[in-house]
Amino acid sequence: MMFAAKSATSLSLLLALAACGGNSEDPVDTATTETPMATDTMATPGDTMTPAETATPTETPSATPSATPTPKPSASATTAANVEPASFAQCKACHSVEPGKNGIGPSLAGIYGDKAGDVAGFDFSDAMKSSGLTWNRANLDRFITDPKAVVPGTKMGFGGLKDAAKRQEIITYLRGL
């Protein structure tokens, strides 16, 4: 059972990478790349086939329907590629990413581009409501760096994140929510 869960997780990761074009820092020359043969053939260990020799789903119709449906491309590449970064773990202690689900802090779903202090159902400090901020990349970066300096009087009890790369991961993630 654990193998099946790991396989499903691996498959999900591979599909997500395929949907966004994979890792652009690791180009693959498909003309020279060899693909292992399918396990249902009479292949011996070490046998490989070139991509031109491998069958595509349209070339080999299946007599029985597959157990899992073929994934369809998502409507938004941003959503498909928007994977929660590890650096967001400290944010999750107080914030949800589900719309309308506030915790100690407001839900962060869809806040990118919104006015600060304007999440329905959350009781913001007067300082946040009157801050005049709009949550864009620059304002989020400044706020996550040092919330109390950017909005003096905020109720947010977070001391700030000094690592610029981690802040950018969080902001990119928030933008895709």
Side-chain angles (χ1 to χ4, degrees):
M1 181 66 100
M2 184 170 192
F3 175 70
K6 284 183 180 181
S7 294
T9 302
S10 297
L11 178 61
S12 296
L13 178 59
L14 289 173
L15 291 174
L17 286 173
C20 69
N23 182 353
S24 62
E25 295 177 5
D26 189 18
V28 176
D29 182 1
T30 56
T32 60
T33 303
E34 293 183 343
T35 307
M37 294 180 81
T39 56
D40 62 347
T41 64
M42 296 299 291
T44 59
D47 282 350
T48 57
M49 295 174 62
T50 64
E53 296 171 327
T54 60
T56 62
T58 57
E59 295 171 337
T60 53
S62 174
T64 59
S66 65
T68 56
T70 304
K72 296 178 183 175
S74 67
S76 167
T78 303
T79 303
N82 196 33
V83 177
E84 182 182 297
S87 54
F88 190 75
Q90 57 194 340
C91 306
K92 284 177 34 175
C94 298
H95 296 278
S96 168
V97 294
E98 293 179 43
K101 185 177 179 186
N102 297 318
I104 294 170
S107 168
L108 298 178
I111 62 121
Y112 193 93
D114 285 353
K115 181 181 173 220
D118 195 26
V119 173
F122 188 79
D123 183 29
F124 287 95
S125 65
D126 290 336
M128 185 61 75
K129 288 189 271 187
S130 64
S131 70
L133 293 174
T134 297
W135 295 128
N136 58 29
R137 186 167 291 277
N139 287 334
L140 281 165
D141 187 52
R142 289 182 324 121
F143 186 75
I144 296 169
T145 300
D146 190 356
K148 294 184 186 309
V150 175
V151 182
T154 182
K155 294 191 302 186
M156 187 161 161
F158 176 62
L161 180 59
K162 305 307 177 211
D163 187 320
K166 288 182 179 181
R167 288 194 313 269
Q168 292 309 308
E169 288 174 348
I170 293 168
I171 294 166
T172 297
Y173 176 63
L174 291 174
R175 185 175 184 186
L177 293 176

